[in-house]
Amino acid sequence: MASEINWEQLNPLRGDKSPQAGTLWGNRKGSVPTGFLAKFVDGFSSPPHIHNVTYRAVVISGNIHNDDPDAANMWMPAGSFWTQPKGEVHITSAKGSTNIALVEIDKGPYLVLPVDKAFDSGERPINMDASNIVWVDPKGGALSSDGPKVAYLWGSLKAGQANGTYVKLPVGFEGSIKSSGSLFRAVVIKGVAQYRVSETELKHLLPGSYFGSKGASTHQVSIMAGEESLIYIHTNGNYEIVPK
């Protein structure tokens, strides 16, 4: 749950101005796939730098700009998606009372390096504002103007291939997400998702909360109040949204 995340400074030398990181899975200092939340103070702006690994990111709250040092600010709100290729010089800035993003790497360690270490990996960045996300009906699901929707972000939907998608569940949804892959990771980006742990235990997952599994699995989720819920899903197979 978001309230259980342990935060630590990414750059202790910056004191209270340092971005903070809260690990959801993996270990950004190790070599394993990792997902962590990055939190920035209002007005934060990094110096130009590079990373040794490519990362993907989703804005959870506030407004975040990530681009070349000379680029005009493009403030991405919650639900926006971007990628940062390894070796490319860039800056990251934040504007808002609470600025949080999910950061995901396929292999660590995740390092911040000076611009004289820059190199061209052949990859190119993506900055996708939330307003430009394309929503479609779930594959195999009933067509509906107010039902669950999905958006495809990256990767391949072929069996065994890694991919990242959004799922948008409307208020009143009650059902399950059934995964057929060997790996399933989900992070709540907007809204509150009720997650049924057992017949007697129901957890309220606020933005930044995470649930996941290995192997074929079923996750019981409902959206009973407030606003629709947006969930980011990383899997290596297919999944099905099944209303109750």
Side-chain angles (χ1 to χ4, degrees):
M1 298 177 69
S3 60
E4 300 170 331
I5 292 172
N6 181 33
W7 295 97
E8 59 182 352
Q9 292 181 328
L10 273 172
N11 185 358
L13 294 178
R14 297 195 68 170
D16 294 341
K17 301 296 184 181
S18 171
Q20 297 184 63
T23 301
L24 299 181
W25 66 84
N27 179 359
R28 70 179 188 281
K29 299 177 183 179
S31 61
V32 296
T34 300
F36 66 93
L37 301 186
K39 181 161 59 174
F40 308 93
V41 298
D42 184 23
F44 170 83
S45 187
S46 72
H49 63 283
I50 73 163
H51 295 286
N52 62 313
V53 294
T54 296
Y55 73 78
R56 299 177 292 271
V58 177
V59 182
I60 295 178
S61 64
N63 295 275
I64 295 178
H65 165 79
N66 189 88
D67 212 327
D68 297 335
D70 298 327
N73 285 331
M74 186 182 88
W75 295 110
M76 295 181 288
S80 300
F81 171 77
W82 86 88
T83 64
Q84 180 57 54
K86 58 188 176 183
E88 182 174 279
V89 178
H90 65 286
I91 65 168
T92 303
S93 304
K95 181 176 68 172
S97 58
T98 304
N99 305 285
I100 298 176
L102 165 68
V103 178
E104 184 179 44
I105 59 174
D106 292 330
K107 184 178 180 180
Y110 172 88
L111 303 176
V112 178
L113 301 173
V115 296
D116 61 5
K117 301 292 185 181
F119 60 92
D120 187 353
S121 67
E123 302 175 58
R124 295 296 175 259
I126 296 172
N127 287 285
M128 185 177 295
D129 188 274
S131 62
N132 292 326
I133 299 294
V134 177
W135 296 99
V136 298
D137 292 301
K139 185 178 180 180
L143 301 181
S144 172
S145 61
D146 57 358
K149 301 291 180 182
V150 298
Y152 301 97
L153 300 176
W154 63 271
S156 170
L157 298 178
K158 294 181 180 179
Q161 299 295 307
N163 60 81
T165 58
Y166 281 153
V167 168
K168 185 163 59 176
L169 301 177
V171 175
F173 175 85
E174 187 174 3
S176 60
I177 302 175
K178 294 186 176 182
S179 171
S180 59
S182 62
L183 177 68
F184 181 91
R185 295 183 173 121
V187 179
V188 179
I189 305 300
K190 296 176 67 176
V192 179
Q194 294 180 325
Y195 186 92
R196 184 161 295 282
V197 180
S198 66
E199 289 297 323
T200 59
E201 185 178 5
L202 191 67
K203 290 196 173 184
H204 298 265
L205 303 184
L206 276 64
S209 300
Y210 157 72
F211 60 94
S213 59
K214 293 182 179 180
S217 56
T218 299
H219 302 272
Q220 298 184 51
V221 181
S222 58
I223 315 297
M224 303 311 295
E227 62 176 337
E228 64 188 12
S229 184
L230 175 62
I231 300 173
Y232 170 77
I233 292 177
H234 175 169
T235 184
N236 61 358
N238 294 315
Y239 62 84
E240 184 181 3
I241 303 170
V242 184
K244 187 174 181 179

